[in-house]
Amino acid sequence: MADRYLHFTGTAPGRFLTRRLGLPQPAHLRRWSPRTPTLDGPVLHLTAGDSTVTEELAALLAATGLDVTERGERATRDDRAERPAGIVLDATAVVTPGGLAGVHAALHPVIRSLAPGGRVVVLGVRPSADDHHQAAAQQALEGFVRSLGKEIGRGATVQLLRIDPEGVAGAESTLRFLLSPRSAYVSGQVIELTAAAPAPVADWAAPLAGRTALVTGAARGIGASVASVLARDGARVICLDVPQARDELARTADALGATALPLDITAPDAAERIAAALPDGLDVLVHNAGITRDRRLANMPADRWAPVLDVNLDSVLRTTDALLAAGTVNRGGRIVATASIAGIAGNNGQTNYAASKAGIIGLVRALAPRAAADHGVTVNAVAPGFIETKMTAAVPLLIREAGRRMNSLGQGGLPVDVAETTAWFAQPASTAVNGQVVRVCGQSLLGA
Ligand code: NAD
């Protein structure tokens, strides 16, 4: 069901009335479209302290084609006139709590001037295990970013991106994503990159050209949108869904020029059948199929528990293990699994679902370093918050309204928001993005 409140607040009388009544005023989010593929305005590059990566970072930002303005720590109040669409603050050199004053000094004068729907990316490094002063300063950035995300408003987003100073080049695909309309519903996230070198990109407009992608649960909802965005980015797509959804699956696949593979992912021979359908292997494997069977634990019979764990977690483990062992996932491959904020915060009536989605997070974190070392494959997860799909349309009205508004952007996300995040993970240039769980939740207050 459409978000009528969001539509109402987008009209002049709606804006007037909701402002007078002190009600939430969610901003209209500008998402990717062929006419608006990038941010509409300059990006300010600021630095706190004596960064060792300034030049490399400046070169990388210049390569994105964005209109970048370099500034030292002491940005002036005149900067307000420029209305930047993005701000990148390099805080990698902040190694003591005293250095945090440089973060304040850099952002305080310019933050008010950020354009509506703007992007703020704070660059940090991994908190040290040996130097507790450095760890305090770098962990402080997390609290800073999460608070700024909650107060910034007007559809703007704020993230903390931890880079490895030895692998700045590996941050390009991530900076391109975070500084674009593709990340409209991603905010308050902490993303940590490895030093892995990125694969070269021939065409950033079609980063998945020549790649083969399989999406499970692709007949409808988020999976259909993932298939569509991967196809937009140049991939050859195989859409998998249960045989009962054969007609809907065929319609979705046909519309994208994709191949339909009717198959229940919990079937014991599912991995063999996938491998047989892909003699040249697979570059992107998206585990999106998922089900709910909600009931409080006291009222939950085993037949509502087992299928949820089987579809959402066991089948992901089984097919991932089998396809990696068989070499079906090519070197340079990408595995993307689907968690949920319920797997982080828990949810009333969802012990089965939340257990399965938390299990996905455990799987991703443990497998990622080994898959990279043994197979040259990355493993990441998207954790959607409230996304407008048939699944959430069935939620009772009051709970649905709470789900929509209880996040920093004051609205639900769209399937395409999850799809864009998946497509960023899937890029050949995203080698440094490994073992990450990125919430696509508008910075939901649940599990914050
Ligand atoms: P959906 O119910 O609209 O679509 C799920 C698809 O998976 C369906 O087409 C279904 O037929 C397919 N599927 C189910 N069991 C399968 C099986 N055994 N084999 C193959 N396909 C199977 O759901 P959605 O809202 O699009 O959710 C997609 C994913 O995102 C799920 O993993 C879900 O848990 C997760 N998620 C959704 C939300 C949300 O707000 N919608 C929030 C968090 C996480």
Side-chain angles (χ1 to χ4, degrees):
M1 187 172 292
D3 185 345
R4 294 210 178 92
Y5 182 80
L6 178 64
H7 180 72
F8 179 60
T9 56
T11 63
R15 258 194 305 276
F16 174 77
L17 202 64
T18 50
R19 195 171 299 145
R20 288 295 292 266
L21 294 172
L23 292 170
Q25 294 197 295
H28 171 75
L29 301 186
R30 205 175 63 111
R31 296 180 165 87
W32 182 94
S33 82
R35 276 178 294 114
T36 54
T38 57
L39 290 184
D40 187 16
V43 172
L44 266 183
H45 173 189
L46 309 174
T47 307
D50 293 322
S51 170
T52 57
V53 300
T54 304
E55 278 172 28
E56 227 181 321
L57 184 60
L60 189 151
L61 288 171
T64 62
L66 292 164
D67 171 14
V68 183
T69 312
E70 308 280 335
R71 284 291 143 82
E73 191 177 303
R74 274 171 286 120
T76 65
R77 282 173 190 270
D78 296 344
D79 292 333
R80 287 183 185 182
E82 295 182 34
R83 296 204 57 84
I87 300 175
V88 175
L89 171 66
D90 176 0
T92 57
V94 176
V95 290
T96 61
L100 292 165
V103 172
H104 174 267
L107 286 178
H108 168 69
V110 294
I111 200 68
R112 202 191 299 273
S113 68
L114 186 73
R119 301 281 183 266
V120 178
V121 179
V122 176
L123 292 179
V125 292
R126 181 199 292 249
S128 167
D130 315 314
D131 177 351
H132 56 291
H133 291 248
Q134 187 272 12
Q138 286 295 323
Q139 191 67 33
L141 294 176
E142 191 170 322
F144 174 83
V145 156
R146 292 197 202 273
S147 296
L148 187 57
K150 289 184 177 174
E151 69 185 36
I152 196 164
R154 294 183 304 154
T157 65
V158 189
Q159 333 284 345
L160 174 59
L161 179 61
R162 292 186 177 137
I163 61 168
D164 187 316
E166 302 301 314
V168 176
E172 182 167 354
S173 68
T174 302
L175 280 170
R176 280 177 180 265
F177 171 66
L178 296 178
L179 295 171
S180 80
R182 294 171 200 243
S183 56
Y185 199 63
V186 178
S187 194
Q189 297 306 290
V190 180
I191 298 162
E192 196 167 299
L193 303 184
T194 70
V201 180
D203 179 3
W204 283 99
L208 296 177
R211 302 245 148 181
T212 301
L214 177 92
V215 184
T216 72
R220 66 175 200 205
I222 293 171
S225 187
V226 170
S228 160
V229 169
L230 297 181
R232 176 203 72 188
D233 282 356
R236 182 172 86 87
V237 179
I238 290 94
C239 297
L240 180 152
D241 211 299
V242 287
Q244 301 91 292
R246 190 183 293 274
D247 293 346
E248 202 174 8
L249 179 65
R251 275 196 299 278
T252 303
D254 285 353
L256 301 174
T259 307
L261 181 58
L263 175 64
D264 186 328
I265 199 67
T266 63
D269 63 346
E272 286 102 89
R273 291 181 51 195
I274 291 170
L278 293 159
D280 296 329
L282 182 62
D283 303 295
V284 180
L285 171 58
V286 182
H287 294 291
N288 162 80
I291 58 169
T292 52
R293 296 283 183 276
D294 296 357
R295 199 68 72 82
R296 288 192 179 161
L297 182 64
N299 303 324
M300 187 184 294
D303 66 1
R304 290 184 86 86
W305 174 273
V308 172
L309 271 292
D310 198 17
V311 175
N312 297 3
L313 181 59
D314 291 336
S315 75
V316 175
L317 283 160
R318 273 197 306 273
T319 49
T320 299
D321 288 353
L323 293 172
L324 279 175
T328 305
V329 184
N330 297 327
R331 279 201 88 74
R334 307 279 178 251
I335 296 174
V336 184
T338 307
S340 163
I341 57 166
I344 297 168
N347 203 13
N348 186 349
Q350 291 199 315
T351 52
N352 51 358
Y353 183 76
S356 73
K357 295 300 189 180
I360 289 292
I361 295 173
L363 177 175
V364 163
R365 291 193 176 142
L367 179 61
R370 260 186 300 121
D374 299 349
H375 304 280
V377 167
T378 64
V379 187
N380 294 289
V382 281
F386 186 99
I387 306 295
E388 304 280 356
T389 63
K390 275 192 183 159
M391 202 190 219
T392 47
V395 171
L397 178 72
L398 280 180
I399 300 175
R400 189 166 69 227
E401 265 310 291
R404 278 175 175 151
R405 298 310 150 218
M406 281 174 63
N407 59 74
S408 296
L409 296 170
Q411 58 197 286
L414 300 181
V416 71
D417 297 319
V418 182
E420 294 284 13
T421 305
T422 303
W424 153 59
F425 285 144
Q427 288 189 17
S430 294
T431 318
V433 189
N434 196 22
Q436 301 302 295
V437 178
V438 174
R439 290 165 45 163
V440 183
C441 65
Q443 198 180 18
S444 168
L445 303 183
L446 296 175

